[in-house]
Amino acid sequence: MTSTNAPVLRQIVHPQELTVELRRQLIDCWIAVTNAGGAAGFPFPPVDVDQVAPVADRLIADLDPQRGRLLLAVVDGVLAGWLGIRRDLGPLVAHWGTVSHVQSHPDLRGRNIGTALMKRAREVARDEMNLEQLRLAARGGVGLEDFYGRLGWTEIGRWPRALRLAPGDDRDEILMVLTPL
């Protein structure tokens, strides 16, 4: 993957919209990101398709225009990155959503794929899902709060040493919000 083309962003709102090939690429991306040390939902690399596929399939099965969407970044027909946006429809919290699994394929890092996905997530949340704010939790110690901060996100708290990656390697979980959208 050495293309210099800009990513094409695509939104998936129903499980049947995700082709078998895109599902495979999503799983392959998640495996590559995790095994490269990325903080994308599987904290203990290495992972393989037997671990990632069932989690991906649950995420895909829950897609619904009002509750959950995937945003995909495609470069030259290949999935370069993706993220999820979810919301709870309960009346107390239906005005905010959660961004998760933000990732770009390690072979395409430095191409602003994550930035493009996050900017599009803001637009989708505001304009299509009618959300007023987005939240996320990020692993401390890898600079994610700086990345999100450059995109307008604000740290609202931390759970000190909440994530134990290995004995003696505890990380804060950083809570962030993007508001207004």
Side-chain angles (χ1 to χ4, degrees):
M1 287 191 224
T2 58
S3 172
T4 58
N5 292 329
V8 174
L9 301 179
R10 180 173 172 201
Q11 185 177 174
I12 305 291
V13 298
H14 297 287
Q16 64 271 21
E17 293 178 56
L18 199 69
T19 66
V20 171
E21 177 60 19
L22 269 177
R23 175 189 172 273
R24 183 194 62 74
Q25 289 184 36
L26 184 144
I27 292 167
D28 289 347
C29 181
W30 207 346
I31 291 168
V33 167
T34 300
N35 290 343
F42 291 95
F44 304 109
V47 296
D48 61 27
V49 70
D50 292 332
Q51 294 165 286
V52 176
V55 178
D57 288 341
R58 283 192 300 275
L59 186 70
I60 293 164
D62 286 342
L63 294 176
D64 173 90
Q66 291 304 309
R67 287 186 331 235
R69 300 168 182 228
L70 292 177
L71 297 182
L72 311 178
V74 177
V75 175
D76 295 331
V78 176
L79 185 71
W82 64 276
L83 61 74
I85 306 173
R86 287 213 41 88
R87 72 132 45 99
D88 185 323
L89 295 177
L92 289 176
V93 295
H95 63 287
W96 60 267
T98 302
V99 174
S100 64
H101 307 298
V102 180
Q103 54 194 283
S104 60
H105 197 287
D107 292 344
L108 291 170
R109 295 268 166 84
R111 300 271 311 277
N112 294 316
I113 291 165
T115 298
L117 283 166
M118 292 300 290
K119 287 180 178 181
R120 182 67 180 131
R122 181 182 205 159
E123 294 168 356
V124 166
R126 180 190 62 227
D127 300 338
E128 298 178 31
M129 298 177 79
N130 297 313
L131 297 173
E132 296 172 21
Q133 63 179 267
L134 287 171
R135 299 176 185 188
L136 64 76
R139 181 189 305 168
V142 291
L144 294 173
E145 62 270 43
D146 296 332
F147 167 72
Y148 294 120
R150 287 191 300 274
L151 297 172
W153 290 73
T154 302
E155 182 177 326
I156 58 170
R158 286 178 180 247
W159 286 322
R161 299 172 310 282
L163 307 172
R164 178 157 294 156
L165 302 181
D169 186 7
D170 293 348
R171 307 282 178 92
D172 292 353
E173 186 163 35
I174 303 163
L175 309 175
M176 301 191 81
V177 69
L178 181 64
T179 188
L181 297 179

